[in-house]
Amino acid sequence: AQSVTQLDSHVSVSEGTPVLLRCNYSSSYSPSLFWYVQHPNKGLQLLLKYTSAATLVKGINGFEAEFKKSETSFHLTKPSAHMSDAAEYFCVVINTGGFKTIFGAGTRLFVKA
Amino acid sequence: DAGVTQSPTHLIKTRGQHVTLRCSPISGHKSVSWYQQVLGQGPQFIFQYYEKEERGRGNFPDRFSARQFPNYSSELNVNALLLGDSALYLCASSSGLTSYEQYFGPGTRLTVT
């Protein structure tokens, strides 16, 4: 069985400081992992993906994530937060060969001026 | 190029009624997936269709059904609506069966009264 846990429901940072959004996964097979962002009243946008290539994945808007198999983690980071980063972030797992996508519960990122 | 489109944008129905939601994938994409996102939660997988066949199903009752047409557009049908079916229904398309990078539409907001 596969599952994904986002360890924080809310994260608050100041503009210009680093962002860390944590995600742990459980999968019986080699997983494909994604981060999506959802701004208010807007659709889900793909930030980055891991599909068994490089373990450090770079995405859009300066975000990156590192796949750590030993820790079953796929945490999202950004060196310097911007006000426009305030949104809901979802960690997603899809089993290779499977046809079921599992979303985490989401982490709401707040960015203070 | 147009992204994933969904119709209608908003819908209000009464308990017990039936609803049909529609989705057009990105041109060239052959796979369509449907998700239900209840307020404050992550999207829950309902169905995946590829080449007009159901390839995956989430934990939803038989009141939920879907189909995919020869032009790869899709419909989601929900019968005997319950108050708990009120949610944002998202459609996502991907290029193939094993292409896990999904592109999401803006969603249909369904309210059941």
Side-chain angles (χ1 to χ4, degrees):
Chain A
Q2 56 184 11
S3 65
V4 59
T5 302
Q6 293 184 242
L7 300 172
D8 307 290
S9 59
H10 299 85
V11 170
S12 183
V13 301
S14 297
E15 191 174 23
T17 64
V19 175
L20 170 63
L21 306 183
R22 299 182 296 164
C23 172
N24 286 349
Y25 71 91
S26 172
S27 176
S28 303
Y29 306 95
S30 298
S32 293
L33 295 160
F34 303 79
W35 277 97
Y36 281 84
V37 61
Q38 188 175 37
H39 287 92
N41 300 316
K42 291 190 177 180
L44 284 158
Q45 181 183 20
L46 178 65
L47 275 179
L48 49 80
K49 63 179 179 180
Y50 166 77
T51 54
S52 74
T55 57
L56 182 61
V57 181
K58 294 188 182 297
I60 63 171
N61 300 335
F63 285 95
E64 62 181 39
E66 186 172 7
F67 173 70
K68 292 186 176 180
K69 186 175 181 178
S70 61
E71 299 176 10
T72 61
S73 68
F74 190 58
H75 301 336
L76 182 70
T77 60
K78 183 174 181 177
S80 177
H82 191 272
M83 295 296 289
S84 61
D85 294 328
E88 187 89 20
Y89 291 80
F90 294 98
C91 182
V92 178
V93 63
I94 304 175
N95 271 354
T96 302
F99 305 107
K100 188 173 180 179
T101 303
I102 305 295
F103 274 74
T107 298
R108 172 73 65 178
L109 176 65
F110 297 94
V111 182
K112 299 174 290 186
Chain B
D1 283 345
V4 177
T5 60
Q6 294 186 242
S7 63
T9 305
H10 296 86
L11 202 53
I12 299 175
K13 290 286 190 178
T14 303
R15 279 177 296 176
Q17 287 187 318
H18 163 271
V19 68
T20 297
L21 310 181
R22 295 178 174 83
C23 171
S24 292
I26 292 171
S27 177
H29 283 194
K30 298 181 178 181
S31 178
V32 169
S33 297
W34 287 95
Y35 296 83
Q36 180 195 67
Q37 186 178 19
V38 174
L39 196 61
Q41 298 181 18
Q44 299 292 313
F45 173 76
I46 308 175
F47 290 110
Q48 183 192 20
Y49 274 77
Y50 176 76
E51 291 284 12
K52 303 184 293 296
E53 291 190 12
E54 181 184 304
R55 299 291 183 153
R57 173 186 281 259
N59 297 324
F60 280 81
D62 291 343
R63 299 184 297 108
F64 289 77
S65 63
R67 56 179 176 171
Q68 187 177 31
F69 299 99
N71 67 353
Y72 304 111
S73 67
S74 177
E75 285 182 352
L76 176 70
N77 295 284
V78 187
N79 292 324
L81 285 167
L82 304 174
L83 295 179
D85 295 332
S86 295
L88 180 67
Y89 288 85
L90 296 165
C91 173
S93 76
S94 58
S95 59
L97 186 59
T98 56
S99 173
Y100 303 127
E101 187 169 328
Q102 297 179 69
Y103 296 85
F104 284 81
T108 294
R109 173 71 64 187
L110 173 65
T111 302
V112 182
T113 61

